[in-house]
Amino acid sequence: MDVIVVGLGAMGSAAVHQLARRGVDVLGIDRHSPPHTFGSSHGETRITRRLTLEGTEYAPLAVRSHEWWRRIEAETGASVFTACGVLNLADHAADPEAFAVRERAAAAHGIDYELLDATALRDRFPQFRVEDTRMGLLEPSGGFVRPEAAISAQLELAERYGARLHRGERVLAVDAAASAVTVRTDVATYTADQVVLCAGGWLAGLLDDPGLARLFGVYRQVLHWFEAEGSAQDFTPGRFPAFIWEGVSRADEYFYGFPSVDGATVKVATGQLDHRTPDPDMLDRTVAPEEAAGFHQAMISGRLPQVSARATRSQVCMYTVTPDEAFVIDRLPGRERVVVASPCSGHGFKHSAAIGEALAELVTDGATTLDLTPFALGRFTR
Ligand SMILES: Cc1cc2nc3c(=O)[nH]c(=O)nc-3n(C[C@H](O)[C@H](O)[C@H](O)COP(=O)(O)OP(=O)(O)OC[C@H]3O[C@@H](n4cnc5c(N)ncnc54)[C@H](O)[C@@H]3O)c2cc1C
């Protein structure tokens, strides 16, 4: 066998699809049956935008992924990407440079955006209650990706192109020798020329180097769906964008949300990096009603007055975060046959289709069209 992909979530489904497309003899293995609700790729929607806060180096990944989402939709009939616009809301009095990275990325990559002052924000998006100092950066070509649909569609394409997918099979160990890699599971042992590890929050458990494993912290995240007051029409895609309400201090003010997908509720969440989880299998997956009420009180009431405090559901998910919150996509040092691509630190889904393509290029050609050097492991050891 040429390649084994371990984990078939966002990154693994993209990798196995792209490898199979190239005619590579590939086996994908997942301990669950993706898409599922145990990892990092569930909950209906993920924001996608080409102008990211994280850095200009991400824009080409998002640009390429947008092309892939449309192609995947055309080839499978799935609905993957909704370009409803992405609105970033920042307090410019507190942080005049809030949009600087994104404006640089827009200039470098020719991406359209609009700047909206508080008056324009109130006019265009009256759903928000904004302070006079709040500004908006609207990227009309951004929107949201449906993670479950994207994963299903890419796995469907992978199988169509000849990949073998083993669901419900757990990888226990990956041993890289000079001539091949051996993957031992709870069912069998396989040998391949190369292995791509896309195990998300479980990645650290597959690395035998404790120093490397420590780089990947897992954090519990909670998503909430609240009923819109009256009709949810004001929150449908087209009328309401995906958005990020940025805080000066991220911890106390940052939250994000989506247009209503079901016509009744609005999904909102924040990023939580307070408590690192030692073992993803021990993650507390229950959400008490008080947690949803507290979130609504702290973040939503006063800012989205038409979003009620009635939570219809909440869901737990996990971020796998590196020390600099940037990705790791690289060969393991000293084990060149093993490629790692997973810990995408809470902002990876939008880039995943392009990452899958880059992984396929890396293992088949040894080089990638997109520049992956910002995501090299060596940055932590220099
Ligand atoms: C709440 C939340 C909100 C987010 N919002 C956004 C957003 O708006 N925009 C954005 O771009 N990104 C966002 N992200 C980040 C994005 O969703 C992740 O970067 C991405 O889903 C990570 O995908 P992955 O493939 O690394 O992990 P996963 O999708 O979790 O896949 C890992 C897979 O590996 C399998 N696996 C693990 N161990 C083994 C083993 N031993 N054997 C076999 N299989 C194994 C698991 O079963 C799983 O299917 C968000 C993440 C969360 C949690």
Side-chain angles (χ1 to χ4, degrees), residues 48-303:
T48 181
R49 52 200 167 123
R50 298 179 295 177
L51 301 180
T52 66
L53 175 64
E54 292 82 18
T56 54
E57 66 273 26
Y58 290 90
L61 289 172
V63 168
R64 185 66 179 147
S65 293
H66 283 197
E67 292 167 7
W68 272 112
W69 302 135
R70 291 299 183 222
R71 194 160 166 190
I72 290 163
E73 285 178 330
E75 291 184 14
T76 62
S79 173
V80 172
F81 172 33
T82 301
C84 58
V86 173
L87 179 64
N88 298 275
L89 299 135
D91 185 337
H92 255 235
D95 182 5
E97 292 297 300
F99 296 146
V101 173
R102 282 159 285 197
E103 293 190 85
R104 279 203 299 278
H109 300 286
I111 298 167
D112 290 341
Y113 69 95
E114 287 177 60
L115 287 177
L116 307 173
D117 63 13
T119 307
L121 278 173
R122 289 175 190 133
D123 186 43
R124 291 272 290 276
F125 301 110
Q127 300 91 338
F128 294 103
R129 187 178 289 159
V130 296
E131 317 89 303
D132 291 341
T133 50
R134 199 156 282 272
M135 292 276 296
L137 183 148
L138 178 68
E139 184 183 334
S141 57
F144 63 83
V145 179
R146 296 171 193 261
E148 292 90 348
I151 290 171
S152 294
Q154 288 174 102
L155 294 180
E156 179 190 326
L157 287 173
E159 287 188 304
R160 211 187 280 175
Y161 285 104
R164 277 165 297 150
L165 304 181
H166 291 189
R167 299 169 170 91
E169 182 169 339
R170 182 174 176 180
V171 171
L172 303 174
V174 177
D175 298 311
S179 56
V181 191
T182 303
V183 173
R184 187 163 54 82
T185 77
D186 52 4
V187 173
T189 298
Y190 309 94
T191 304
D193 292 338
Q194 299 185 72
V195 168
V196 183
L197 293 182
C198 299
W202 292 271
L203 175 68
L206 293 173
L207 302 174
D208 52 16
D209 176 340
L212 269 186
R214 259 195 302 277
L215 292 175
F216 308 118
V218 175
Y219 298 84
R220 176 179 180 270
Q221 308 297 320
V222 184
L223 307 165
H224 302 286
W225 284 258
F226 293 104
E227 268 177 21
E229 292 291 2
S231 152
Q233 285 311 305
D234 289 343
F235 290 96
T236 50
R239 288 208 196 166
F240 190 65
F243 71 90
I244 300 157
W245 183 287
E246 295 176 9
V248 179
S249 147
R250 285 181 57 157
D252 66 3
E253 215 191 343
Y254 153 80
F255 71 103
Y256 61 90
F258 297 85
S260 181
V261 169
D262 60 8
T265 60
V266 176
K267 181 184 130 184
V268 280
T270 186
Q272 297 145 327
L273 297 181
D274 301 333
H275 303 293
R276 185 169 171 156
T277 306
D279 177 355
D281 288 331
M282 303 291 282
L283 198 70
D284 178 4
R285 294 183 179 276
T286 56
V287 183
E290 301 77 49
E291 196 172 343
F295 177 80
H296 187 277
Q297 174 64 30
M299 302 290 188
I300 309 301
S301 71
R303 294 179 181 140

Side-chain angles (χ1 to χ4, degrees), residues 6-13 29-34 36 38-42 45-48 147 151 169-172 198-203 206 219 221-223 256 258 267 269-270 315-320 327 341-352:
V6 178
L8 299 173
M11 304 305 152
S13 62
I29 305 176
D30 201 290
R31 58 182 283 183
H32 295 294
S33 184
H36 58 76
F38 304 106
S40 305
S41 300
H42 56 280
T45 45
R46 290 289 185 273
I47 291 177
T48 181
I151 290 171
E169 182 169 339
R170 182 174 176 180
V171 171
L172 303 174
C198 299
W202 292 271
L203 175 68
L206 293 173
Y219 298 84
Q221 308 297 320
V222 184
L223 307 165
Y256 61 90
F258 297 85
K267 181 184 130 184
T270 186
Q315 216 172 29
V316 170
C317 196
M318 57 187 175
Y319 280 0
T320 307
F327 302 166
S342 267
C344 290
S345 300
H347 55 104
F349 208 99
K350 67 178 77 56
H351 306 297
S352 56

